[in-house]
Amino acid sequence: MIHVGIGYDVHELVVGRKLILGGVEIPHTKGLDGHSDADALAHAITDAVLGALGEADIGHFFPNTDPRWKGAPSRVFLEEAARQVRLRGGRLVNVDASVIAEAPKIAPHLAAMKAQLASALGLDPRKVGLKATTNERLGFIGRQEGIAAMAVASVDLPE
Ligand code: MG
């Protein structure tokens, strides 16, 4: 039985942080702020996978009050979501995600991000859809105050 899930995340762009998206460090003047490495793309995909399982969100599994997750690479969250699928005898079918960022240019990094995400999820990279778009200079994303990501995931679960 195919189940789908949706995920969305946003983090603030601040000076003095590395910009990590999809497990890849992207050179930029600012980075995403957060308790972990603040990888909004990895977080959106994690929530999509957990959502397909009917589970609570990433904050339930990895509270941002827990010092264990301070500065944590978000790969850990993706790996745990994939493990939750296997625990239920399920199989992750595919994920698809979009990054919404005004700057820097994300496109040159998409292939590397896709490889990182696929490896963390135990998926063939061909089953990881990944796109980047700007917000047409509108709103907080357009003002380069933050970066957002949205994702869907499909999981095949036993009845
Ligand atoms: Mg997040």
Side-chain angles (χ1 to χ4, degrees):
M1 189 75 151
I2 298 293
H3 296 243
V4 296
I6 187 170
Y8 171 82
D9 196 28
V10 60
H11 281 265
E12 186 183 2
L13 273 170
V14 296
V15 173
R17 290 269 300 183
K18 289 179 179 171
L19 175 56
I20 310 283
L21 281 172
V24 172
E25 186 178 338
I26 298 175
H28 193 44
T29 51
K30 295 192 271 188
L32 294 175
D33 197 19
H35 184 68
S36 65
D37 65 4
D39 185 336
L41 174 58
H43 296 180
I45 295 173
T46 299
D47 264 352
V49 174
L50 293 173
L53 298 176
E55 277 293 343
D57 70 9
I58 187 170
H60 171 83
F61 282 85
F62 307 101
N64 63 11
T65 48
D66 188 331
R68 266 185 304 169
W69 314 122
K70 186 160 170 50
S74 295
R75 181 182 182 92
V76 174
F77 309 154
L78 290 164
E79 287 172 347
E80 175 61 20
R83 194 180 74 91
Q84 291 292 328
V85 174
R86 293 192 300 273
L87 277 177
R88 288 160 181 74
R91 179 180 64 90
L92 193 53
V93 178
N94 77 307
V95 300
D96 185 27
S98 289
V99 176
I100 307 118
E102 206 63 38
K105 288 240 177 296
I106 305 297
H109 307 282
L110 286 176
M113 291 155 69
K114 188 182 278 205
Q116 284 295 318
L117 293 165
S119 127
L121 292 166
L123 263 183
D124 187 309
R126 287 173 301 183
K127 303 203 171 147
V128 178
L130 194 54
K131 290 90 58 195
T133 185
T134 70
N135 218 34
E136 298 290 345
R137 300 184 301 280
L138 294 168
F140 73 88
I141 295 174
R143 292 189 296 270
Q144 302 182 31
E145 293 167 7
I147 287 177
M150 54 182 73
V152 290
S154 170
V155 171
D156 194 359
L157 289 173
E159 285 285 330

